[in-house]
Amino acid sequence: MTKLYLDFDSFFASAEQHFNPILRKRPIGVVPLDVPHTGCIAVSREAKQAGVPSGASVSEARAIAPEMVFVVARPDAYVRLHHRILAVIESCLPIEKVRSIDELVCDLVASEVAQGGAVAHRIKMALSAAFGDTLTCSIGIGPSELLAKVAAEMHKPNGLVILNEPDLPGSIAHLRPSDIPGISKGMSARLAKAGITDVPSLWKLGAKEARGLWGSIEGERFWNA
């Protein structure tokens, strides 16, 4: 069944910008504690555009973007916002699974698949109406949850990518195996040793080959996904 994967952009940082208008359109980092030697658990899109990577330390972030503002995380506030967001999305489309505080999956029935782009835009418009333009999400639609997640990560922030089965693997051929969720750095190196260095060669693997390369049933599960 076709899946719609929704991934909020820089959720903790965007949430803080939603709560506090003064922080909007500014590079901010969300930190676990108000201490100088800590790292960011999230950075805003403005910080990313300035070159600050996710997970940067406070000192690293300030070296890249001296105007960075740091905010201590408020998990309870994010959870309350998360539940409000779910209610808005449910008004547009039933949620199949909540994967994390900022990621979720919906099934698309046959009649919705043909209108996948319109469904995604309806969700985005409903979120904008409820929360303004600060809390944006990237949406991917694909023939499996994994491929829908890949699609959601292909055009961030505020993106929409639809992967149609007849176009695969060509539509993701430009990605590296390490860009696919579930392929760790170590697994990527193992694949490279086997001569699998791009997505088209990864796509050609058989289920048994994948199981052998992974060394467990997880390889076959990945192949199925």
Side-chain angles (χ1 to χ4, degrees):
M1 181 177 284
T2 300
K3 303 289 184 178
L4 182 149
Y5 202 99
L6 189 151
D7 183 358
F8 277 89
D9 304 313
S10 305
F11 180 64
F12 294 162
S14 295
E16 289 296 342
Q17 291 174 321
H18 170 70
F19 296 140
N20 187 352
I22 293 174
L23 298 176
R24 294 174 190 173
K25 297 185 179 180
R26 300 179 67 183
I28 73 166
V30 179
V31 294
L33 299 167
D34 186 15
V35 295
H37 304 296
T38 189
C40 298
I41 58 176
V43 298
S44 67
R45 73 192 66 191
E46 295 83 2
K48 290 178 180 177
Q49 289 168 356
V52 180
S54 299
S57 68
V58 168
S59 59
E60 289 170 339
R62 280 198 172 123
I64 297 168
E67 69 277 24
M68 280 281 289
V69 178
F70 297 94
V71 182
V72 177
R74 297 183 286 165
D76 289 348
Y78 307 150
V79 170
R80 289 193 296 272
L81 179 60
H82 164 77
H83 288 299
R84 290 171 57 204
I85 286 169
L86 295 186
V88 171
I89 295 171
E90 281 276 5
S91 71
C92 302
L93 192 68
I95 296 171
E96 180 199 4
K97 299 171 189 171
V98 175
R99 287 303 187 193
S100 67
I101 197 168
D102 60 349
E103 298 184 30
L104 58 89
V105 187
C106 302
D107 276 333
L108 295 181
V109 299
S111 60
E112 292 166 334
V113 172
Q115 301 295 323
V119 171
H121 283 299
R122 187 163 70 244
I123 293 172
K124 286 174 176 281
M125 292 299 293
L127 290 168
S128 178
F131 304 107
D133 297 330
T134 304
L135 287 169
T136 62
C137 64
S138 294
I139 293 177
I141 296 174
S144 71
E145 181 178 327
L146 177 62
L147 289 167
K149 180 175 174 64
V150 169
E153 294 178 352
M154 284 173 66
H155 186 192
K156 279 182 154 287
N158 202 23
L160 168 60
V161 174
I162 300 174
L163 296 178
N164 295 306
E165 194 161 1
D167 300 328
L168 292 164
S171 53
I172 58 172
H174 62 287
L175 301 178
R176 299 166 297 179
S178 57
D179 293 327
I180 308 298
I183 298 185
S184 64
K185 185 176 180 180
M187 192 64 232
S188 183
R190 189 184 301 178
L191 289 170
K193 284 184 180 179
I196 300 165
T197 58
D198 55 28
V199 166
S201 58
L202 179 66
W203 193 271
K204 290 177 183 176
L205 280 178
K208 290 184 179 179
E209 290 176 290
R211 184 168 184 160
L213 283 167
W214 262 257
S216 72
I217 189 65
E218 289 305 314
E220 197 164 339
R221 287 175 180 155
F222 178 86
W223 181 88
N224 284 324

